[in-house]
Amino acid sequence: CAGSMRPSEIAGPPIDLTNALDQDELRQIVSSSNLQLSTFNEEYYLGPGDVINVQLVGRNDLLSAKSETPGLDITLTNNPNITLPEIGSIRAHGKTTEQLQEDLRQAFSLRIVNPQPVVLVKVFNRNQIAVLGSVSKPGKYPFDFGDTALDGVFKAGGLSTGGRGGGTAPGRFMKIYREKIPLEDRFRLNLDELVQRIMSGDKVVPREEITIPISDFVFNGVLEYNIPLKQNDIVYVPPAGTVHVQGRVDSPGIVFLGPSIQTVSQAVVERGGLRFSADDRVEIIRRLPDGQTASYYVSIRQIMTRRSPDFVIKDGDEIFVFPNTWRAIGEAIGTIFSGGIRAGANATYNPIG
């Protein structure tokens, strides 16, 4: 303890704790991002790439001769230890700022009376999340403590709309991939314990998967799914599956499934709707798990007039809209007639006179 110290061990005059803290130091501490952590009761464990500022209230002269820069800025490297004047090497990796402050207090207690070290995080290297998949702007984004799954989607510009709106429509579920081993445990556990934590059978699975149904979460407002995010989370919105719409529709082609496209009628409308020559009968061809195919038939016009329930489609389905013979003849005659009208109009118009 400080009372057992010999005078020769004290590097300078002891701090007078009866004096008020320097206002500039106090202002910097209050405005620091470190207080953001305690606001949400989150723990941030220091690691490579973080930049910390170490201060010794009232005795910053022991750390740095530069009066314009309070304390000492240190960038943490792959070396788990940092080196400070007077106390030498001390471990920083895997500790919270509070834990490092306590270790520094004990170390400086061998040199000065009642030391008051303060550790601030200036750059959070792990203070990021990645948002990938069917969002407007996939990428890495700053993580603010208190962010939720919805915040992560908003930071990436929201879900892509798909279809005519552009991008690939989101699927029915959103995934959050979270590290199984928090940073503090990486430095506490031995190699065998670390391996055991990330093994699943004979596979290495370093992250756990959290599944959130997009329809319930985003469109129906079930807030229980709006879970808090953690540093280094990966938010992934898988693209929707696809169906192929063929036959008598205005624009045959691929349709991306998603929250707004889940049924036969929605897929047909997405491809421009039925042509006049379309029959009422539609075939849905689906490949079964055993590799065989099954066909389902529905009455599309009855569905669209709400006389029959709609048919829910799945990824990989093929939708074929059959032609109707009499309607096809009528469509052909209409095409010829409308083409003749356009040709006649062009022929009778003479700009010269």
Side-chain angles (χ1 to χ4, degrees):
C1 64
S4 63
M5 286 185 178
R6 297 190 299 273
S8 60
E9 292 179 331
I10 299 177
I15 299 172
D16 184 358
L17 298 180
T18 61
N19 292 337
L21 288 175
D22 180 86
Q23 291 302 306
D24 288 337
E25 289 185 275
L26 185 60
R27 191 176 298 109
Q28 181 182 4
I29 293 172
V30 170
S31 63
S32 73
S33 57
N34 194 54
L35 288 185
Q36 180 189 41
L37 307 183
S38 60
T39 301
F40 295 100
N41 196 27
E42 293 281 351
E43 297 285 5
Y44 184 85
Y45 295 89
L46 300 173
D50 291 334
V51 178
I52 62 174
N53 175 264
V54 179
Q55 300 181 35
L56 197 57
V57 178
R59 291 306 311 271
N60 275 330
D61 58 296
L62 296 180
L63 300 176
S64 174
K66 299 178 181 179
S67 57
E68 68 274 11
T69 305
L72 188 63
D73 288 344
I74 303 173
T75 300
L76 302 188
T77 66
N78 289 328
N79 186 337
N81 297 334
I82 59 175
T83 301
L84 295 174
E86 304 297 334
I87 62 173
S89 179
I90 191 167
R91 187 182 185 93
H93 282 195
K95 295 179 180 177
T96 65
T97 54
E98 291 80 7
Q99 291 169 342
L100 182 55
Q101 281 176 182
E102 175 59 24
D103 292 347
L104 292 175
R105 188 193 66 78
Q106 294 184 21
F108 276 112
S109 293
L110 300 177
R111 305 297 296 166
I112 60 176
V113 175
N114 295 327
Q116 291 188 348
V118 176
V119 178
L120 307 175
V121 182
K122 300 185 72 174
V123 176
F124 294 90
N125 183 50
R126 289 171 52 81
N127 201 21
Q128 290 183 327
I129 56 173
V131 187
L132 307 173
S134 294
V135 291
S136 296
K137 298 177 181 178
K140 280 192 172 183
Y141 292 92
F143 168 71
D144 300 312
F145 286 91
D147 274 353
T148 64
L150 196 58
D151 293 318
V153 172
F154 284 157
K155 287 185 176 183
L159 299 174
S160 59
T161 56
R164 295 182 180 88
T168 303
R172 298 176 182 176
F173 299 95
M174 181 170 71
K175 307 282 188 178
I176 296 176
Y177 295 97
R178 178 164 296 164
E179 291 183 327
K180 283 186 174 181
I181 305 177
L183 187 62
E184 69 274 20
D185 287 348
R186 294 187 185 184
F187 303 106
R188 181 176 58 84
L189 302 176
N190 60 43
L191 182 58
D192 290 338
E193 291 172 325
L194 290 174
V195 171
Q196 186 176 6
R197 290 273 288 270
I198 63 176
M199 292 298 294
S200 177
D202 58 348
K203 296 182 179 179
V204 176
V205 184
R207 289 177 180 266
E208 62 175 318
E209 179 183 289
I210 302 170
T211 302
I212 297 175
I214 289 180
S215 292
D216 290 341
F217 173 40
V218 178
F219 297 99
N220 298 332
V222 182
L223 296 182
E224 287 82 355
Y225 292 114
N226 194 28
I227 64 173
L229 295 177
K230 292 184 179 293
Q231 306 104 301
N232 212 30
D233 274 356
I234 297 174
V235 179
Y236 177 53
V237 182
T242 60
V243 297
H244 191 194
V245 182
Q246 308 174 63
R248 296 304 171 109
V249 292
D250 188 63
S251 179
I254 293 294
V255 172
F256 286 98
L257 300 179
S260 63
I261 302 178
Q262 300 184 27
T263 65
V264 166
S265 67
Q266 291 168 342
V268 167
V269 170
E270 179 67 16
R271 297 314 305 179
L274 297 173
R275 288 169 53 179
F276 180 81
S277 59
D279 192 58
D280 182 52
R281 188 175 56 140
V282 170
E283 181 184 12
I284 300 98
I285 304 172
R286 177 171 298 167
R287 186 168 295 277
L288 303 176
D290 60 3
Q292 302 297 314
T293 59
S295 290
Y296 306 89
Y297 295 91
V298 298
S299 298
I300 188 64
R301 284 192 170 84
Q302 289 191 24
I303 289 174
M304 289 187 164
T305 55
R306 299 186 178 181
R307 290 179 291 165
S308 294
D310 213 338
F311 185 90
V312 177
I313 50 181
K314 294 185 177 182
D315 182 22
D317 282 354
E318 294 184 33
I319 300 173
F320 186 79
V321 181
F322 290 97
N324 179 283
T325 303
W326 295 109
R327 281 180 171 271
I329 294 173
E331 183 179 271
I333 294 173
T335 301
I336 294 171
F337 182 71
S338 62
I341 292 177
R342 287 195 298 271
N346 291 336
T348 56
Y349 175 64
N350 188 344
I352 299 177

